[in-house]
Amino acid sequence: MAPLLPLHIGPHAFQVELAATPEQRQRGLMGRTHLAADGGMLFVFGQPDRHCFWMKDTPLPLSIAFIDSVGRVVSLADMQPRSETLHCPPADIRYALEVKQGTFRQRGIAPGARVDGLPR
């Protein structure tokens, strides 16, 4: 397994896997049945765009934070397991962070929050 990347959103720390290549982004968390409480996956895109996500082959309920080029959370969404519903940000994003569903809400993380530790 690849080394984990430490991210911080305010006082909250996460240890996340990186999905930076097209293959890694396509695979995402498909097939996973467990995710640590402070775990997640950070999707990194080469260019800001309206990158959309779905959960077709992902059995875990997840929450996603859409993050812009400067590291601000643009919007959040809850995604249901094995769903083909598209979840798209309202503006261009460069990053997306998937965590266990409810994690952002439980920690009081909302749009406008700053994410520190993002790869450039």
Side-chain angles (χ1 to χ4, degrees):
M1 187 162 130
L4 298 176
L5 176 73
L7 291 181
H8 289 87
I9 305 175
H12 306 288
F14 295 89
Q15 296 292 323
V16 301
E17 299 172 54
L18 207 53
T21 68
E23 296 78 21
Q24 290 168 330
R25 289 191 300 262
Q26 184 177 2
R27 177 128 186 88
L29 292 169
M30 281 197 294
R32 299 286 185 88
T33 56
H34 176 76
L35 198 56
D38 68 342
M41 181 167 280
L42 179 70
F43 294 78
V44 180
F45 298 95
Q47 295 298 320
D49 203 347
R50 300 274 305 272
H51 301 285
C52 296
F53 287 72
W54 69 346
M55 298 277 290
K56 184 173 185 258
D57 295 313
T58 307
L60 289 172
L62 299 174
S63 293
I64 189 167
F66 295 108
I67 304 163
D68 68 15
S69 295
V70 297
R72 293 243 176 250
V73 175
V74 173
S75 67
L76 302 168
D78 286 340
M79 303 188 298
Q80 300 312 313
R82 303 191 192 285
S83 167
E84 293 186 23
T85 300
L86 280 181
H87 298 275
C88 303
D92 288 353
I93 60 159
R94 173 108 193 276
Y95 309 94
L97 175 61
E98 290 181 344
V99 297
K100 275 181 155 174
Q101 192 171 100
T103 298
F104 298 130
R105 187 171 38 260
Q106 291 161 359
R107 296 180 186 205
I109 295 168
R114 178 162 182 79
V115 183
D116 294 308
L118 294 168
R120 293 290 158 192

